[in-house]
Each structure stands twice: as C-alpha cells, then as structure tokens.
C-alpha cells in the first residue's frame, strides 16, 4: 500500500514537472502583445524591447525556465498584465476561488448524497417504478442542454419560492439555487453509475453465497454490495472535489457570481499571457493530484491493487 | 438406508418461473426422501432442474421463480410455505448450507477470507469477536488450509482455486448444518484438485455427521461419493436407487442413454454414444413421459400418460412404463447388458 502510493507519487511528480515545462514553453509561443496591454500601440520598437528585456523575456530559454521554477517554488505566479494590470495573480484568485469552491463543494455534496441514494434505490427496485422514474430523470438531464433547465430554474423556481434572481453575497437565500442547479447534472451521473455498479455486484456469485450463508438482504446490501460498488466511484472523487475550484461558467454568469468560471476563457481572449499560464498550470496540477489521490483511495478500498507490480494500471 | 430417519421430504414439488411474460415449469412434481446421514447424488444434463430443485430447499430461487405446488418437509415444517426472509434465515446456513460451483467468484474480493467465514460464525453461533476468530481459525484448519492464522487476514485473490473452494466449504460447514448441498463442487477445478476436494467433503461429512446432496453431471464424482443416485430429467426424478442399482441395473431408458454415453463404455473404433434430440421445451405442458420423443424404445403409452414410480427393489424405483407388468419386453442397449452382467458377477463373488 505505502510502496504503491510512493511509486504513484513519484510518477505524479514527474508528470507534473513535464507539464509545467511544456506549458511554460508553449506560452512562449503566444503573441508578445500580451505583455503590454493597452500601451502596446503607443510604444515604439525600442521601448517594447526594453520592457521585454526588463521582464526577462529576452534571456536564453534555460535561464527563463530556471527563473520560472524559482518563482513557482516560492508560490509566485506572476502579475496580471491586461486583466487587472499590475495585480498579482494570486491576489486575483484569492477573491474568486472561495465563491467557486463554496458552490462547487455544496453541489458535490448534494449530488453525492442524492445521486448515490437514487442509484441505490434504482438498483434495489430494478425495472420497477422508481427505477423507471430515475432513468427518466437521467435521460432528461443528459438529453436537454443544461442551459435550458438552468434558465428554467432561474426564471420559475425563483418566482415560486420568492428567491432572488441574482446572487448577492450578503443574502443567504440567493446562495441556494445556484448550488442546487449545479448539482443536477452530477446527481444524474452518480445515480447512473451507482445503479450500474450495484446491479453488476448484485448478480455476482458471492452475493448468492452471502444469501446462502443466512445473511439478511439488508446486511448484504450494506456490507458487501454497497462497498464493492462504491470502489470504482471512489477513484474520481478527489478529482471531482478539486475541480470545483474551476467553477461553472454557466451558473456563475447566470447568477453573476464573481467566481472562477469563465476566467480562463476571458484571459485567453484578452491575451493576458501570465494569467493564462498560471491558470493552465493550476488546472493541470489539479488533474494530476486528483488522479493520484484517486488511485491511492482505490488502493485503500481494493486490496488487489497492491499486488500490481507495474504502478500505473490505468 | 431404509432404517434411517427421513430428514427432508419433498412431495410433488412444482417450481415455475416467469420469463419474458411466459411461464416455464422447471420442476414437474418431483418427489424425494432424503435420509439422515446419507450421501445422495442428483445427476442429469444441463437444464434438467438439478440446481433449481435444491435451491428451493433454501429459498434461493431467483426473483422470478416460485414454488407452485407441493411440500418440502423439514423438521416438522413445510418449507414450501415459507415466504419471508425471516422464515428462511432460520434455515439458511444453520440447517441447510450450500457449496457453489465456482470458487473464483463465490467470495467477495474486497473482504478478508477470515471476515467472510466469521460473518457466518457470528451470525449463527452468537460468538463474540475473539471467540469467533478462534472458531474461524479452527474451521479453516479443519478444511485443510495451512497456516490459518496468517491466511485469516488474506484476501481471496491470494488463494488458488482449490484453496478458495476450501474457504467456501468452510463457510458452509461453519454453522454445523444438518444438510450440505454441493452444487457441482468440483466442476470449476482441475482434476488433481477435484479429488482433494471430494476427499475433504467426505471427511467433513463424517466429522460433522452431515447429510450431503451432490449435484453433478460427472458420474465419476458420483461413484466416488454417493450412496444413492437420483437421475433427473426435465424437472422430474425419473430413477432413484442405490449407487450399484442405478449403475448396474438401470431401468429407465434415460438412465440407459446417460450410462451408454460414458466414454468408458465406448467400443474402440466406434463413435461414442450420444443422446439424440434436445430436452423438451419447458414452456409447453409435457404430456406422457418427457423422455419419450428422444427414446428409440418408447411405447405408445409413453406419449399419452406420465408413468408413475414402479418399484424395482425396496430402495430402487423408476418412472417408466417398461416396468409395468403389461409392458412388452424391451431389451436395453448392449452397454447396459454388459453392466448388468458385471454386477451379476460381482454379486456372485
């Protein structure tokens, strides 16, 4: 277990290092206008060169890389140039991440509880009324574009329950609907997978043996089936939790929440190179850390994973 | 065997399944008396209802199946009347236990084998944690698992197929059941392990005074472990008798066909015997003897009326009109004649 985790950790660190390097090198291919902002038109060629040299962008590539790693190590992501000129990127994120995190985590918790319960109910009443209703819900969520039911909720549900249409940080009631809207899609996904894994387990021979032993159906459900069905879901849990900081473009713009959603698109459009670089770094690191934690979590649940001599089974 | 007590008695059992809106009759009025301490083998081809028949004793039918008619008498109670889980909990594991076919999938891969045996022990013997663990280790030792203390904490994937089957057997005997049903216990194992597992089952039967039912289509297994044989065809027991009686003095044409198909009885240079045709469609009502359409020696009455049991000896009976005194003399196949002669010889000796 420990050996497996350490091995996976080492692999993740190597991957992370490669990604940081690749991202940095790719960003060097971006147009250089991105380093000047509004002032670009007013400067002449010599002045531009002077500014770029001042930022260290005319140094040889390996020096630039070294400096980049150095500042990353002390947690310095650089400063925004166009999005909010001269403001450290860490500063910008600090105001935005909490909103996305709050809504994201609330939505994950809601959808985990609702989705897994729904999945269990559906598996237990396979091909009966609850299963069919649940399937209807899953089909609806997957078939109808999210924007449609998001808008529907915003327009009608706010009206029925007298909730505010837009988000205001000091109004608690305005926090409810965005979180619920965000959880709808993942609820359907969790329900679908949970049902599927449960049904898979239900038909396995060890369940028959457990019944023949004299265990009650309830005990079998809780002690055998649920645990085994949850293992494959556990793998994606850390990624899901970590990715909540990236926010949701739709929900945040619908309710005008000042979160992370849309920030990446925004800075790419405005060619704010340093912010793009920082965001891409953060999101890809999250991806790698999430996968690593997921694998470790799986190994904790499933003893068979320890034995795999070759680390990355997936 | 006749002086033994009857431990389980099945009378005219009918089991039906609902399948895609149609009703299938899997067991057609099968009757069976199981004597205490005996070892009975149920043989028959795939789909003859061997497994379904024994599953009804434990209430383990799939959700779409039910007992339509008949009685299963055990310990003064009619198990066929049992409906709820609470009823069956009293029987399963404690009174009747089962060993399944495939040990590779019969254990939960995510739980230590110690825990899986302990579950049963705690459930039925009401032992506390420490005592239960001790009991589990004793049982593991009993079924021939070396170093049970270390093995207790291991997971199924760390066991070989034969060792896993030992664990499954340990789970079955953990609660000292009266009856042990072995549903093709050696089919999924390789030949050398088969003999070990059969030996183990025989030893445990003696030690725990078990009554055992073997479900198998391997007549080699039957000869090895069984006192009595019940031959099943299309959901009914067509012939039942002592091992020797069924092997050497078979009366039912289906038993003849089954025995003739044994590769050991084949003649060199000639193709092995095989039973022509397919088993009857259980969705339809079967008229007369279910085997008649495949039986080259079928009488006219076989297509009209279901034969009752005819007694051959106090322990041997068969459901075939051939045994009716009015029936014409029908010669069994050559290989059966050879078997009969062999028995005659061994009887004289």
């Amino acid at each position: 277990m420990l050996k497996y985790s350490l091995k996976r950790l080492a692999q993740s660190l190597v991957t992370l290092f490669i990604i940081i390097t690749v991202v940095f090198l790719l960003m060097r291919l971006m147009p250089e206008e991105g380093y000047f902002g509004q002032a670009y038109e007013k400067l002449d060629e010599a002045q531009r060169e002077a500014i770029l040299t001042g930022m260290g962008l005319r140094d040889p590539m390996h020096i630039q890389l070294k400096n980049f790693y150095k500042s990353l190590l002390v947690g310095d992501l650089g400063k925004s140039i166009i999005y909010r000129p001269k403001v450290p990127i860490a500063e910008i994120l600090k105001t935005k991440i909490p909103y996305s995190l709050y809504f994201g985590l609330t939505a994950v918790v809601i959808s985990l509880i609702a989705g897994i319960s729904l999945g269990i109910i559906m598996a237990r009443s396979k091909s009966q009324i609850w299963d069919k209703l649940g399937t209807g819900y899953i089909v609806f969520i997957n078939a109808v574009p999210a924007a449609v039911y998001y808008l529907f909720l915003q327009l009608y549900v706010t009206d029925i329950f007298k909730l505010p249409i837009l988000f205001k940080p000091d109004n608690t009631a305005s926090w409810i609907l965005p979180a619920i809207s965000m959880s709808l899609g993942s609820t359907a996904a969790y329900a679908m997978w949970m049902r599927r894994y449960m049904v898979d387990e239900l038909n396995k021979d060890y369940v028959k043996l457990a019944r023949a032993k004299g265990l009650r159906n309830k005990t079998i459900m809780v002690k055998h089936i649920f645990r085994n069905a949850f293992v494959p879901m556990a793998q994606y849990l850390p990624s899901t939790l970590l990715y909540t900081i990236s926010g949701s473009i739709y929900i945040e713009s619908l309710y005008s929440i000042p979160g992370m959603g849309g920030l990446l698109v925004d800075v790419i459009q405005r060619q704010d190179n340093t912010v793009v670089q920082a965001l891409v770094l953060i999101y890809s690191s999250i991806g790698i850390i999430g996968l690593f934690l997921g694998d470790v979590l799986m190994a904790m649940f499933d003893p068979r994973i320890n034995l795999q001599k070759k680390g990355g089974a997936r | 065997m006749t002086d033994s007590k009857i431990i389980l008695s099945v009378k005219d059992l009918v089991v039906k399944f609902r399948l895609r809106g149609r009703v299938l009759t899997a067991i057609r009025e099968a009757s069976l008396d199981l004597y205490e301490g005996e070892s009975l083998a149920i043989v028959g081809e795939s789909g003859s209802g061997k497994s379904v028949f024994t599953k009804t004793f434990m209430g383990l039918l799939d959700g779409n199946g039910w007992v339509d008619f008949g009685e299963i008498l055990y310990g003064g109670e009619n198990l066929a009347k049992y409906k709820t889980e609470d009823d069956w909990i009293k029987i399963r594991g404690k009174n009747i236990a089962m060993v399944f076919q495939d040990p590779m999938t019969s254990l939960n891969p995510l739980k230590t084998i110690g825990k899986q045996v302990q579950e049963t022990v705690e459930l039925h013997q009401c032992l506390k944690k420490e005592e239960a663990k001790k009991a589990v280790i004793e049982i593991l030792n009993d079924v021939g698992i070396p170093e049970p203390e270390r093995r207790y904490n291991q997971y199924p994937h760390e066991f070989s197929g034969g060792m896993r089957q030992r664990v499954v057997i340990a789970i079955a005997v953990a609660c000292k059941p009266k009856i042990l049903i072995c549903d093709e216990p050696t089919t999924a194992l390789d030949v050398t392990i088969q003999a070990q597992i059969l030996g183990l089952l025989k030893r445990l039967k003696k030690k725990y005074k078990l009554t055992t039912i073997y479900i198998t289509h391997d007549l080699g297994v039957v000869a090895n472990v069984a006192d009595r044989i019940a031959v099943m065809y299309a959901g009914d027991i067509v012939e039942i008798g002592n091992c020797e009686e069924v092997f050497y003095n078979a009366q039912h044409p289906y038993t003849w066909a089954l025995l003739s198909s044994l590769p050991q009885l084949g003649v060199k240079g000639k193709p092995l015997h095989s039973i022509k045709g397919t088993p009857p469609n259980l969705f339809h009502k079967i008229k007369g003897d279910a085997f008649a359409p495949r039986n080259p020696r079928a009488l006219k009455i076989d297509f009209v009326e279901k034969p009752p049991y005819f007694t051959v000896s106090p322990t041997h009976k068969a459901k075939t009109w051939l045994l009716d005194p009015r029936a014409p003399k029908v010669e069994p196949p050559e290989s059966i004649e050879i078997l009969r002669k062999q028995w005659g010889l061994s009887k004289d000796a």
Side-chain angles (χ1 to χ4, degrees), chain B residues 251-253 288-289 299-308 310 318-328:
Chain B
Q251 297 296 330
H252 196 281
D289 185 346
L299 308 173
K300 262 187 194 150
I301 190 166
D302 279 335
F303 294 94
V304 182
E305 187 141 356
K306 191 177 174 178
F310 288 96
K319 275 188 182 175
T320 169
W321 285 116
L322 292 181
L323 290 172
D324 191 283
R326 291 161 292 177

Side-chain angles (χ1 to χ4, degrees), chain A:
Chain A
M1 172 75 209
L2 189 66
K3 214 171 141 195
Y4 171 82
S5 306
L6 288 177
K7 212 168 174 180
R8 279 296 283 116
L9 182 65
Q11 280 178 341
S12 306
L13 288 178
V14 172
T15 321
L16 200 56
F17 177 77
I18 294 172
I19 286 197
I20 290 175
T21 311
V22 170
V23 168
F24 180 80
L25 293 176
L26 282 176
M27 293 313 292
R28 301 287 79 82
L29 299 174
M30 293 281 278
E32 286 178 339
E33 285 95 321
Y35 297 107
F36 302 97
Q38 304 283 319
Y40 183 75
E41 301 291 329
K42 296 173 203 150
L43 300 169
D44 62 29
E45 200 59 36
Q47 286 171 311
R48 288 179 197 158
E49 273 313 304
I51 289 177
L52 286 176
T53 317
M55 292 172 82
L57 288 166
R58 285 291 178 259
D59 293 342
M61 200 49 82
H62 64 275
I63 304 283
Q64 285 193 39
L65 251 179
K66 205 178 78 188
N67 290 336
F68 179 63
Y69 290 139
K70 261 190 197 161
S71 49
L72 264 190
L73 275 180
V74 294
D76 179 11
L77 290 167
K79 284 179 180 163
S80 165
I81 295 162
I82 301 167
Y83 183 72
R84 280 204 209 145
K86 303 266 156 47
V87 181
I89 294 168
E91 208 60 39
I92 300 175
L93 298 184
K94 227 181 262 171
T95 60
K96 288 181 163 295
I97 285 183
Y99 289 114
S100 294
L101 208 56
Y102 167 79
F103 283 110
L105 288 183
T106 315
V108 169
V109 171
I110 294 176
S111 54
L112 270 180
I113 295 173
I116 288 181
S117 323
L118 181 61
I120 294 173
I121 293 170
M122 285 169 75
R124 290 198 63 170
S125 65
K126 199 175 151 239
S127 336
Q128 289 164 22
I129 182 75
W130 282 109
D131 191 19
K132 283 177 181 155
L133 284 178
T135 309
Y137 170 71
I138 293 167
V139 169
F140 176 82
I141 292 290
N142 282 310
V144 178
V148 174
Y149 54 83
Y150 285 166
L151 262 176
F152 178 85
L153 280 178
Q154 193 189 24
L155 290 179
Y156 296 99
V157 177
T158 47
D159 202 40
I160 296 166
F161 293 99
K162 302 278 173 276
L163 293 169
I165 282 194
L166 291 182
F167 169 76
K168 286 182 203 76
D170 50 356
N171 184 354
T172 334
S174 72
W175 294 67
I176 302 171
L177 210 52
I180 292 181
S181 311
M182 260 172 97
S183 69
L184 288 178
S186 37
T187 300
Y190 285 132
M192 185 172 79
W193 289 109
M194 197 64 204
R195 175 190 181 277
R196 184 238 143 125
Y197 289 131
M198 292 271 287
V199 170
D200 277 1
E201 294 298 321
L202 267 171
N203 290 326
K204 287 197 175 155
D205 284 350
Y206 74 81
V207 175
K208 275 186 229 158
L209 183 78
R211 282 179 75 199
K213 274 200 255 192
L215 291 183
R216 284 174 187 279
N217 278 337
K218 251 190 203 150
T219 320
I220 298 175
M221 274 285 168
V222 177
K223 286 198 172 166
H224 288 268
I225 298 174
F226 176 70
R227 201 192 130 163
N228 292 20
F230 191 71
V231 171
M233 315 231 350
Q235 195 190 9
Y236 299 102
L237 205 55
S239 308
T240 319
L241 289 174
L242 287 172
Y243 268 123
T244 54
I245 75 156
S246 64
S248 154
I249 299 181
Y250 265 144
I251 297 286
E252 290 182 5
S253 60
L254 260 183
Y255 292 89
S256 64
I257 298 165
M260 292 282 284
L263 181 61
L264 182 61
V265 180
D266 207 10
V267 291
I268 289 174
Q269 274 170 352
R270 291 157 81 170
Q271 298 197 352
D272 193 337
N273 290 359
T274 47
V275 185
V276 174
Q277 176 176 285
L279 285 180
V280 172
L281 267 187
I282 291 173
Y283 290 159
S284 47
S285 319
I286 283 178
I288 292 167
I289 297 169
L291 277 182
F292 163 68
L293 291 178
D295 282 354
V296 172
L297 203 61
M298 277 266 277
M300 273 164 62
F301 277 115
D302 192 337
R304 286 169 296 183
I305 290 172
N306 291 339
L307 282 194
Q308 284 168 356
K309 293 282 181 290
K310 286 176 199 148
R314 256 147 294 268

Side-chain angles (χ1 to χ4, degrees), chain B residues 93-119:
Chain B
K94 215 189 258 173
N95 287 293
I96 307 179
M98 204 164 200
V99 172
F100 289 94
Q101 179 174 353
D102 190 354
M104 303 313 269
T105 56
S106 291
L107 296 167
N108 185 341
L110 302 189
K111 281 185 168 243
T112 61
I113 60 116
K115 282 269 155 56
Q116 296 192 46
V117 182
Q118 195 158 328
E119 256 181 353

Side-chain angles (χ1 to χ4, degrees), chain B residues 25-28 45 47-49 232-236 238 279-280 282 286 290-291:
Chain B
T25 312
I27 303 295
R28 302 175 307 120
E45 62 197 291
S48 57
M232 216 160 177
Y233 184 75
D236 195 4
V238 293
L282 296 173
I286 292 169
F291 187 61

